[in-house]
Amino acid sequence: MIEYRIEADTVGMRLDKHLRKRMPNVPVSHLFKMIRTKKVRVNGKRAQPEQLLAEGDVLTIRGTEEQLTLAERPKSDRPPPPPPPVDPSRLVILKEDDWLMAVDKPSGMAVHTGSGITGGTLVDYVRAYLGPKATRNDFTASPAHRLDRETSGVILVAKRRPAMVHFTEIFTHGHPKKRYLTLVKGKMPKDSGVIDLPLAEHQQTAESKARRGVNMQAAVTRWKVVRQSSDAALLSCTIETGRTHQIRRHLVAVGHPVAGDKKYGDFAFNRDVRARWGLKRLFLHAERIEFPHPEDGRKVVVETPMPPELMDVLKRAALL
């Protein structure tokens, strides 16, 4: 029999997710079977996979971890091979304390694994850097928000569960102040402006679209011209909402696509910018973030300068 008490850093976690993290070698299907057959109890009562754990809850699991690990493991439940090792010395850390890390993510590094991405992610680098300290009271250090793979700049990592809960609330409702630098096609009509244009939900399923149509989400981007030439502009952008690819989708919608954007951009402009100015990536950089600290709410500002390859492009474009 396994029995233990839930501590503060596990508060708010779903039971099924907690079990998967605590016993990663036990087949997932077996964990759910144990919950269904009442072999997992919280405070002596039947547990539900989706229930949220509270501090002081007593979790009881019938059997030993060794016995559970030896349970029949279907092929589909076998864990994937571990990602290749990474060199944590490559991680550029802008700020770190007991609660969080702020990392300068390079362009080309994915934040998480996904379709076609099996290793070398920001998550891999962070956990390699932290080593045994990556996991604390059943919570493993994880990015608190997203940056597109080709976008460089500041990204926050929560090192403790209360920090992740705090950041989730801030990014969902508190709107941390984020500032980006981007190079766009064309001459802007004025020195600054606001794009208030709803965007289609990026992850909406085909079934959802068929049932209720395209779900439009409010999205607001503020932009300001930093430098302007006859055929391109360097902009500073802040976002009041955090929709997927928001800056890229908003700017192309108003006729000023981001340079180097292979998904939404102007392909002829991209070819021209690559040939003339040597741009080989998306020109979008998360320069600054301001947020309340999860420990005491004090204001924290983290900044990182534009990487050298983007500075070189601006020099060739006479925008510096």
Side-chain angles (χ1 to χ4, degrees), residues 54-116:
E55 186 173 4
D57 281 349
V58 176
L59 194 61
T60 307
I61 304 168
R62 188 179 301 176
T64 67
E65 191 157 345
E66 182 180 4
Q67 291 170 336
L68 299 175
T69 301
L70 294 175
E72 183 179 354
R73 182 185 294 273
K75 183 177 180 180
S76 61
D77 266 349
R78 292 174 186 168
V86 296
D87 179 6
S89 67
R90 290 186 56 201
L91 199 65
V92 179
I93 300 169
L94 303 169
K95 177 180 176 59
E96 182 180 9
D97 59 28
D98 193 44
W99 292 76
L100 61 91
M101 295 170 61
V103 177
D104 189 357
K105 186 189 83 67
S107 175
M109 179 186 288
V111 174
H112 301 278
T113 56
S115 178

Side-chain angles (χ1 to χ4, degrees), residues 16 44 86 96 112 114 155 170 191 209 258 278 294 314:
D16 54 353
V86 296
E96 182 180 9
H112 301 278
I155 187 165
I170 292 300
D191 292 337
K209 289 179 182 178
V258 174
L314 294 180

Side-chain angles (χ1 to χ4, degrees), residues 117-147:
I117 303 169
T118 58
T121 65
L122 180 75
V123 169
D124 296 326
Y125 278 93
V126 164
R127 294 176 181 174
Y129 165 78
L130 292 173
K133 296 180 181 179
T135 299
R136 174 174 178 168
N137 292 332
D138 214 27
F139 174 78
T140 303
S142 300
H145 57 113
R146 300 185 305 267
L147 273 186

Side-chain angles (χ1 to χ4, degrees), residues 50 69 128 169 175 187 217 263:
E50 70 278 3
T69 301
E169 175 67 20
H175 309 306
K187 188 173 178 63
Q217 299 175 309
K263 184 177 180 69

Side-chain angles (χ1 to χ4, degrees), residues 249-282:
R249 295 163 75 190
H250 263 174
L251 287 169
V252 74
V254 297
H256 299 281
V258 174
D261 191 339
K262 298 177 182 178
K263 184 177 180 69
Y264 305 104
D266 182 311
F267 303 131
F269 177 66
N270 289 345
R271 286 195 300 269
D272 186 47
V273 168
R274 184 183 180 98
R276 293 169 58 199
W277 303 332
L279 180 63
K280 299 177 182 179
R281 51 158 285 195
L282 177 72

